[in-house]
Amino acid sequence: PTNDKFGYLSLETVRTHLEDSVRHGVREYYFTGGEPFMNPGLPAMLGDALSRGFKAMVLTNAMKPMHKMKRALLDLHRLHGHNLTIRVSIDHYGPALHEAERGARTWQPTIDGLVWLASNGFDVHVAGRRFSAESEEAVRRGYGRLFAGLGIAIDARDPGVLVLFPEMDSLADVPEITTACWGILHKSPDSVMCASARMVIKRKDAARPAVVACTLL
């Protein structure tokens, strides 16, 4: 809440970049933040992308800003079905660690939002984090128990549906990264996100939005 580096994108800006991206063959769009539902223009932006037959994903904490847009979300879901995916950020399958990251009284509103999305037939994914000492298998089992207890059909074993982000520890001593890593890891430069993804951002004091080469920038 104290990060004030970015401003909202306008509907006109998004529409311009959407039209430009179509010419470059883009077919999938992600809306993130901060909390993207804080932007009052988000439903119209999603409608612009989805009405072209493309896929769109919103990364959200599923709290009050999303709840205020339930009617618009239901309309989008009715018109575009599973071309719209909502990815809910739940930092841990237990409320204590989740609230240690998100703040007090954040667990239940997020769970309420997750249940509402699932019960209304949305394509729901979850983003978690690997900041506890548990193995990935243990974390996935924990989320599986959470989803089962809520009666939600989310496959916690599927890494595309439950995305577990690793933590970046600035104090850890890690190996240096060089161009030799491609061969060591048997990966192609074309396979990483930054080879094909671009991100439009509006820095608060900038005269106009910028297109950056990677979402991590």
Side-chain angles (χ1 to χ4, degrees):
T2 60
N3 187 335
D4 198 29
K5 295 180 180 179
F6 296 96
Y8 293 139
L9 292 173
S10 69
L11 176 59
E12 292 74 18
T13 293
V14 170
R15 186 167 290 157
T16 296
H17 285 285
L18 178 66
E19 292 171 353
D20 184 53
S21 70
V22 170
R23 293 193 288 271
H24 291 283
V26 178
R27 295 292 181 270
E28 194 166 357
Y29 299 87
Y30 293 77
F31 295 82
T32 185
E35 172 50 54
F37 283 107
M38 292 287 290
N39 189 331
L42 180 64
M45 296 172 188
L46 289 170
D48 270 4
L50 292 165
S51 64
R52 299 168 186 260
F54 303 146
K55 292 183 178 295
M57 176 182 283
V58 183
L59 286 68
T60 177
N61 59 29
M63 293 176 67
K64 186 180 291 187
M66 188 196 79
H67 290 260
K68 290 181 178 179
M69 295 185 178
K70 282 181 176 179
R71 184 176 296 277
L73 276 173
L74 289 171
D75 289 342
L76 288 168
H77 177 61
R78 176 176 53 82
L79 290 171
H80 304 290
H82 290 293
N83 276 350
L84 172 62
T85 299
I86 309 294
R87 180 187 284 174
V88 179
S89 296
I90 303 178
D91 286 330
H92 192 259
Y93 57 81
L97 281 180
H98 176 84
E99 292 197 346
E101 295 294 309
R102 297 276 169 170
R105 300 183 300 279
T106 56
W107 172 262
Q108 196 57 52
T110 292
I111 295 302
D112 292 345
L114 178 71
V115 170
W116 180 83
L117 289 164
S119 63
N120 281 280
F122 285 87
D123 184 24
V124 185
H125 294 187
V126 169
R129 290 168 60 185
R130 291 284 312 282
F131 65 96
S132 65
E134 302 162 285
S135 67
E136 179 173 343
E137 292 73 20
V139 173
R140 290 192 179 278
R141 286 196 299 270
Y143 278 100
R145 292 191 299 271
L146 172 65
F147 301 149
L150 296 172
I152 295 174
I154 296 177
D155 185 358
R157 299 166 298 179
D158 186 340
V161 175
L162 171 60
V163 181
L164 296 178
F165 290 102
E167 291 301 297
M168 292 181 283
D169 185 352
S170 61
L171 301 178
D173 184 18
V174 296
E176 291 187 11
I177 297 174
T178 74
T179 53
C181 293
W182 298 118
I184 294 170
L185 298 174
H186 305 292
K187 296 287 185 180
S188 166
D190 294 337
S191 69
V192 300
M193 178 174 59
C194 299
S196 59
R198 297 293 180 268
M199 191 171 214
V200 181
I201 59 174
K202 173 64 170 67
R203 296 185 177 93
K204 189 172 182 181
D205 297 327
R208 59 181 59 86
V211 179
V212 297
C214 178
T215 58
L216 297 179
L217 298 177

